[in-house]
């Protein structure tokens, strides 16, 4: 009875109100009369029926109030499931499918293929809560051929590192038919997302949005918008026409590329085949009402090397946040983003009633394959079809002023380094010299098949193009994770597994070292990471450069400098190195910004350039630092930052699952008397 009364009050606040993060709980869509029929039973399960203390997803996606928190429960059922399969003859997904499944049809781009899904949804269920809520997610793995973990990208897990979801680092993978309960406080406000952190599962469908709202008083930008709707989350991803495991590590015949065939916007898109035939899938439609200002939350769940550019026809975008970190408002016409980044912007619905194109355009290496995707911004009571012609890749919407340009033209465009943090920056971050300085080169190592495929050697590799085998490194180390998570089973991790640049194992030889790459930093120290792109990839066209978006678990860092300092792009000698960076720094050519530098948890390192990132190491644990392009992760472009000593780590939860090698002594038994003889 209390819940019903609470929800009645919430609906009244929403219809009347301001800063309504919770509104979609009532099913309200601006301008439509009445409430669409949302069956709350879709959000209920046996755990919620059994415990009235738990709140379901609809109840948790609410307007945040001072002093009011909830325990928000979600159940994720993972399985292999068809796109555009038999369920699509029964129903078509609609806008109410965001928080809870109401239709088991996944349209995708209209091409039937198998996918990995959560609750038979792509994207999976949207977690939308208030800061301070306690989040409980039961993950049941029904994928009968794979183990899995879920990472909560952007949630810093202060005090709960065991919930970070990194296989063999913070937990054991969840095996088939097993369930794992993640539980943690949603203390990191902003726009985030969740995704599988195992293998290629993220690209095959295991991902979804994660929004942590603040109260109106806590949000420094609440005066800039009227509505913050659950269905104004824009989650984009890239997609193959076949399961991703068919492309990794690579093959000699068939489709060999690692570039996507299509993009999705909130799980919808159209695919054009090599004959020019396009599937007829309904595009994503996002509704607004004239005269209001709306907060949009744009999430990049791309897995490949492509950047994407978002443009909304005839509408300016006022950027107010990046990766959940508030920035001083900047008005632009389009936003460039890379894998793992998020941008919040305010859209002022001032145009004539009608419909307008939303264009997502692949850039960088995706310019070769000219991939784009469209959606529609629809004004209520207006036409459902845009009046202008459909934009194409070669005739896109007007780009105007661009945020985050690939060419680092910061005079005519807005670079991320130009953004200013909207809140006070810790004075320790702004000190001239950090306590710890790490210079980390990114590397791509080419191997000939003859040197790589040797008996009894089983190193990770990627077939980048025919007859080109590569591994990817940080500090010339390709990371491999141990058999047991050091966060909870450090004593079970062989000492020979862990290494750093000063402690290399014996398997390095003359090329790449493979080990669990761990760098220790003292608790409470100010750490500066200089990431230098030593990949030496020179591309004929600047727009096709490869940027490596690096994500850090457990923290947001401040971007204090970026650079791509070398000469003409066509210069074949153009290659960044740590030695060159040191020379630039010694000659005072590297400038650090200490005037409210922007804060992020994911930042794209310029091709053949560098970035300088700072954070205060006040969250003890083992934290991944890695390129967020999936194929680069799979071949080792990642490392672990250990903050503090094991005595500083939060206590491992009671009965926490264990894993590791099982290699007992070999026992040869006498068949006659069954007595064992040990040989090892």
């Amino acid at each position: 009875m209390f819940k019903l009364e609470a929800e009645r009050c919430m609906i009244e606040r929403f219809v009347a109100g301001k800063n309504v993060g919770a509104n979609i709980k009532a099913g309200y869509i601006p301008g439509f009369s009445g409430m669409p029929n949302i069956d709350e039973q879709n959000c209920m399960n046996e755990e919620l029926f059994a415990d009235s203390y738990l709140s379901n997803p609809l109840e948790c996606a609410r307007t945040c109030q001072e002093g009011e928190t909830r325990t928000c429960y979600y159940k994720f059922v993972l399985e292999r499931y068809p796109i555009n399969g038999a369920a699509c003859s029964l129903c078509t997904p609609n806008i109410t499918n965001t928080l809870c499944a109401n239709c088991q049809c996944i349209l995708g781009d209209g091409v039937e293929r198998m996918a990995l899904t959560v609750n038979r949804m792509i994207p999976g269920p949207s977690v939308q809560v208030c800061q301070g809520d306690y989040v409980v997610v039961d993950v049941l793995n029904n994928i009968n051929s794979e183990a899995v973990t879920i990472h909560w990208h952007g949630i810093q897990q202060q005090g709960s590192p065991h919930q970070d979801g990194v296989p063999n680092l913070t937990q054991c993978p969840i095996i088939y038919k097993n369930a794992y309960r993640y539980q943690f406080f949603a203390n990191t406000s902003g726009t985030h997302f969740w995704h599988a952190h195992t293998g290629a599962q993220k690209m095959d469908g295991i991902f979804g949005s994660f929004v942590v709202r603040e109260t109106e008083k806590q949000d420094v930008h609440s005066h800039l918008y009227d509505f913050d709707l659950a269905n104004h989350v824009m989650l984009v991803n890239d997609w193959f026409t076949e399961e991703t495991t068919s492309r990794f590590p690579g093959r000699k015949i068939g489709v060999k590329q690692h570039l996507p065939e299509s993009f999705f916007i909130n799980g919808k898109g159209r695919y054009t085949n090599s004959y020019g035939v396009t599937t007829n899938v309904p595009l994503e439609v996002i509704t607004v009402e004239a005269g209001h200002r709306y907060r949009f939350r744009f999430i990049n769940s791309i897995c490949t090397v492509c950047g994407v550019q978002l443009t909304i026809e005839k509408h300016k975008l006022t950027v107010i946040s990046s990766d959940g970190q508030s920035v001083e408002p900047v008005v632009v016409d389009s936003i460039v983003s890379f894998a793992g980044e998020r941008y919040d912007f305010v859209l002022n619905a001032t145009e004539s009633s009608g419909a307008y194109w939303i264009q997502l355009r692949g850039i960088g290496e995706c310019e070769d394959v000219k991939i784009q995707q469209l959606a529609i911004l629809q004004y209520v009571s207006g036409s459902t079809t845009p009046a202008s012609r459909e934009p194409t890749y070669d005739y896109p919407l007007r780009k105007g002023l661009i945020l985050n340009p690939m060419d680092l033209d910061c005079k005519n465009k807005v670079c991320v380094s130009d953004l200013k943090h909207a809140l006070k920056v810790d004075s320790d971050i702004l000190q001239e010299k950090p306590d710890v300085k790490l210079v980390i080169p990114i590397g791509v190592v080419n191997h000939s098949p003859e040197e790589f495929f040797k008996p009894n050697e089983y190193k990770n590799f990627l077939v980048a193009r025919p007859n080109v085998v590569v591994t990817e490194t940080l500090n010339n180390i390709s990371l491999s994770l141990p058999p047991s998570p050091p966060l909870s089973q450090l004593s079970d991790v062989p000492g020979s597994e862990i290494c750093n640049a000063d402690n290399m194992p014996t398997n390095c030889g003359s090329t790449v070292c493979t080990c669990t790459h761990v760098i220790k930093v003292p608790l409470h120290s100010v750490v500066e990471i200089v990431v230098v792109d030593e990949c030496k990839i020179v591309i004929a066209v600047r727009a096709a450069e490869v940027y490596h978006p690096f994500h850090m678990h457990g923290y947001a860092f401040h971007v204090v400098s970026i650079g791509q300092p070398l000469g003409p792009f066509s210069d074949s000698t153009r290659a960044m190195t740590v030695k060159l960076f040191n020379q630039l720094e010694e000659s005072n050519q590297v400038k650090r910004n200490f005037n409210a530098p922007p804060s992020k948890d994911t930042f794209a390192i310029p091709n053949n350039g560098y970035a300088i990132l700072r954070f205060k190491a006040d969250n003890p644990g083992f934290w991944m630092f890695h390129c967020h392009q999936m194929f680069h992760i799979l071949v080792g472009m990642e490392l672990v930052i250990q903050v503090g000593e094991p005595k500083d780590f939060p206590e491992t939860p009671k009965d926490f699952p264990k894993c590791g090698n099982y290699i007992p002594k070999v026992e040869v038994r006498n068949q006659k008397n069954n007595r064992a003889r040990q040989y090892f």
Side-chain angles (χ1 to χ4, degrees):
M1 184 64 185
F2 172 78
K3 283 189 177 182
L4 292 175
E5 179 65 15
E7 299 313 326
R8 183 187 66 78
C9 294
M10 188 192 67
I11 293 172
E12 291 174 355
R13 290 197 305 270
F14 169 57
V15 174
K18 161 81 173 165
N19 189 28
V20 282
N23 35 52
I24 198 64
K25 166 62 185 77
Y28 176 79
I29 308 299
F32 287 101
S33 60
M35 303 288 178
N37 180 24
I38 299 180
D39 185 359
E40 189 166 350
Q41 295 302 307
N42 292 330
C43 286
M44 301 299 290
N45 49 54
E46 58 186 14
E47 289 83 4
L48 286 164
F49 281 120
D51 189 349
S52 60
Y53 180 75
L54 301 175
S55 296
N56 69 47
L58 288 178
E59 294 168 330
C60 287
R62 66 196 189 280
T63 302
C64 302
Q65 302 294 321
E66 293 286 345
E68 185 257 359
T69 60
R70 298 188 178 190
T71 299
C72 299
Y73 178 81
Y74 303 81
K75 188 169 186 176
F76 288 3
V77 180
L78 282 55
E79 61 184 337
R80 182 165 273 103
Y81 190 76
I83 299 292
N84 199 25
C88 293
S89 63
L90 301 176
C91 61
T92 301
N94 56 43
I95 57 174
T96 67
N97 204 41
T98 302
L99 299 168
C100 310
N102 67 349
C103 173
Q104 295 192 354
C105 166
I106 302 175
L107 289 173
D109 58 6
V111 177
E112 188 169 2
R113 55 153 281 192
M114 298 304 296
L116 301 180
T117 67
V118 179
N119 297 358
R120 299 186 176 179
M121 301 165 64
I122 292 182
S126 180
V127 176
Q128 302 201 22
V129 299
C130 291
Q131 188 174 22
D133 283 351
Y134 195 62
V135 177
V136 181
V137 185
D138 284 350
V139 177
L140 173 60
N141 181 13
N142 279 347
I143 308 171
N144 61 9
S145 59
E146 303 186 40
V148 68
T149 64
I150 302 294
H151 170 57
W152 316 94
H153 185 116
I155 304 297
Q156 294 176 17
Q157 300 294 357
Q158 188 84 34
S160 52
H162 298 84
Q163 309 303 319
D164 195 46
V166 180
N168 296 79
L169 182 70
T170 64
Q171 70 171 98
C172 301
I174 311 164
I175 62 174
Y176 175 55
K177 282 297 181 182
N178 277 219
Y180 182 97
R181 175 166 290 173
Y182 293 95
Q183 47 188 335
F184 49 87
F185 285 102
N187 287 334
T188 314
S189 63
T191 301
H192 312 298
F193 70 121
W194 56 264
H195 59 79
H197 213 290
T198 29
Q201 295 165 341
K202 174 175 176 278
M203 190 164 186
D204 281 331
I206 302 181
F207 62 91
S209 59
F210 196 136
V211 176
V212 182
R213 292 186 173 87
E214 300 172 296
T215 65
E216 183 175 354
K217 183 179 180 180
Q218 292 171 317
D219 183 0
V220 296
H221 294 313
S222 63
H223 63 287
L224 296 178
Y225 59 90
D226 305 309
F227 294 101
D228 178 10
L229 300 178
N231 59 322
H232 283 178
V233 175
M234 296 178 61
L235 178 56
V236 304
N237 66 288
D238 45 2
W239 198 246
F240 291 152
T241 55
E242 59 186 342
E243 288 191 73
T244 309
T245 49
S246 300
R247 307 280 177 92
F248 180 80
R251 57 193 182 195
K252 294 173 61 177
I253 59 174
V255 179
K256 297 178 285 292
Q257 68 176 15
H258 296 106
L259 299 179
E261 273 84 49
S262 62
F263 295 137
F264 291 174
I265 300 177
N266 290 343
K268 296 179 183 177
R270 290 175 180 168
Y271 167 70
T272 301
N273 65 19
S274 58
Y275 300 101
V277 178
T278 301
T279 56
N280 187 28
V281 175
L283 296 176
E284 174 72 350
V285 176
I286 299 175
T287 58
V288 295
E289 189 171 11
H292 294 297
R293 303 167 302 170
Y294 297 88
R295 181 173 187 156
F296 279 69
R297 298 173 181 268
F298 176 52
I299 303 169
N300 186 325
S301 187
I302 301 291
C303 291
T304 55
V305 296
C306 301
V308 293
Q309 184 171 21
L310 176 74
T311 311
I312 301 179
E313 183 183 13
K314 292 187 177 181
H315 289 79
K316 299 282 187 179
L317 314 177
T318 302
V319 176
I320 60 173
S321 177
S322 178
D323 298 351
Q325 302 292 312
S326 295
V327 298
E328 294 294 337
V330 175
V331 180
V332 297
D333 295 284
S334 63
I335 298 171
V336 169
S337 73
F338 298 91
E341 289 190 301
R342 294 91 66 207
Y343 288 96
D344 290 23
F345 61 87
V346 175
L347 181 143
N348 197 349
T350 57
E351 291 298 319
S352 302
S353 182
Y356 299 88
W357 293 110
I358 299 172
Q359 185 178 31
L360 186 75
R361 192 169 178 269
I363 58 175
E365 287 208 342
C366 269
E367 294 198 16
D368 290 339
V369 289
K370 298 185 177 181
I371 300 175
Q372 72 160 20
Q373 195 52 261
L374 300 173
I376 294 174
L377 179 74
Q378 182 189 345
Y379 280 65
V380 171
S381 303
S383 171
T384 59
T385 304
S388 60
R389 75 174 185 176
E390 183 174 313
T392 65
Y393 192 90
D394 293 320
Y395 297 96
L397 297 175
R398 175 183 173 274
K399 299 176 185 178
L401 183 61
I402 300 172
L403 172 66
N404 198 18
M406 290 194 71
D407 59 8
L408 291 189
D409 177 9
C410 302
K411 292 182 179 179
N412 302 304
K413 301 163 188 175
V414 181
C415 292
V416 169
S417 55
D418 297 328
L419 299 176
K420 292 187 178 300
H421 195 53
L423 303 174
K424 184 178 179 180
V425 178
D426 187 333
S427 59
D428 291 344
I429 294 292
L430 305 179
Q431 64 190 34
E432 183 179 353
K433 292 186 178 180
D435 301 317
V436 177
K437 182 177 179 179
L438 307 174
V439 181
I440 300 175
I442 306 172
V444 175
V445 181
N446 293 331
H447 306 273
S448 68
E450 292 78 14
E451 70 171 307
F452 196 78
F453 299 109
K454 296 179 179 179
N456 298 313
E457 288 191 9
Y458 305 97
K459 295 181 179 180
N460 286 337
F461 67 94
L462 178 69
V463 180
R465 52 188 182 275
N467 296 317
V468 177
V469 176
V470 303
T471 52
E472 310 214 351
T473 64
L474 296 177
N475 278 343
N476 200 43
I477 299 172
S478 179
L479 182 131
S480 65
L481 286 168
S484 303
L487 185 63
S488 57
Q489 296 178 244
L490 186 59
S491 61
D492 294 332
V493 178
S496 59
E497 291 270 355
I498 296 177
C499 70
N500 56 45
D502 300 318
N503 174 33
M504 303 291 266
T506 57
N507 68 343
C508 295
S510 59
T511 56
V512 176
C513 184
T514 302
C515 54
T516 303
H517 187 183
V518 178
I519 298 177
K520 289 185 179 182
V521 299
L523 188 62
H524 305 306
S525 60
V526 174
V527 182
E528 180 174 277
I529 302 178
V530 181
V531 187
V532 179
D533 181 4
E534 283 193 341
C535 294
K536 301 179 177 64
I537 298 175
V538 179
I539 301 172
V541 181
R542 176 180 284 275
E545 292 180 323
V546 176
Y547 277 39
H548 294 275
F550 268 77
H551 172 55
M552 186 168 185
H553 294 215
Y555 290 89
F557 46 71
H558 290 270
V559 182
V560 298
S561 183
I562 58 173
Q564 198 179 30
L566 299 183
F569 191 77
S570 58
D571 185 351
S572 61
T573 64
R574 183 179 187 275
M576 189 67 187
T577 63
V578 169
K579 181 179 179 181
L580 179 56
F581 173 82
N582 290 335
Q583 292 173 352
L584 293 170
E585 192 159 43
E586 290 169 3
S587 60
N588 202 31
Q589 296 183 56
V590 177
K591 304 297 182 183
R592 287 167 174 79
N593 171 28
F594 294 127
N595 181 18
S599 181
K600 291 172 62 64
D601 60 46
T602 308
F603 184 75
I605 313 303
N607 179 253
N608 286 306
Y610 65 85
I612 303 178
L613 317 172
R614 280 195 180 188
F615 69 97
K616 190 169 184 178
D618 54 6
N619 189 11
F622 288 96
W623 305 106
M624 293 296 296
F625 180 70
H626 61 87
C627 177
H628 214 267
Q629 290 159 354
M630 186 185 64
F631 292 107
H632 296 186
I633 297 173
L634 292 173
V635 287
M637 192 177 279
E638 50 186 348
L639 57 77
V640 178
I641 295 179
Q642 178 185 333
V643 177
E645 298 297 332
K647 64 181 177 59
D648 303 314
F649 300 164
E651 186 177 351
T652 298
K654 184 180 178 181
D655 299 325
F656 199 67
K658 290 188 174 183
C659 55
N661 296 322
Y662 173 67
I663 308 178
K665 294 180 179 180
V666 176
E667 295 182 346
V668 179
R669 293 183 176 274
N670 184 309
Q671 291 184 359
K672 187 173 182 179
N673 57 24
N674 201 32
R675 286 184 298 179
R677 182 182 301 168
Q678 295 185 345
Y679 281 84
F680 296 95

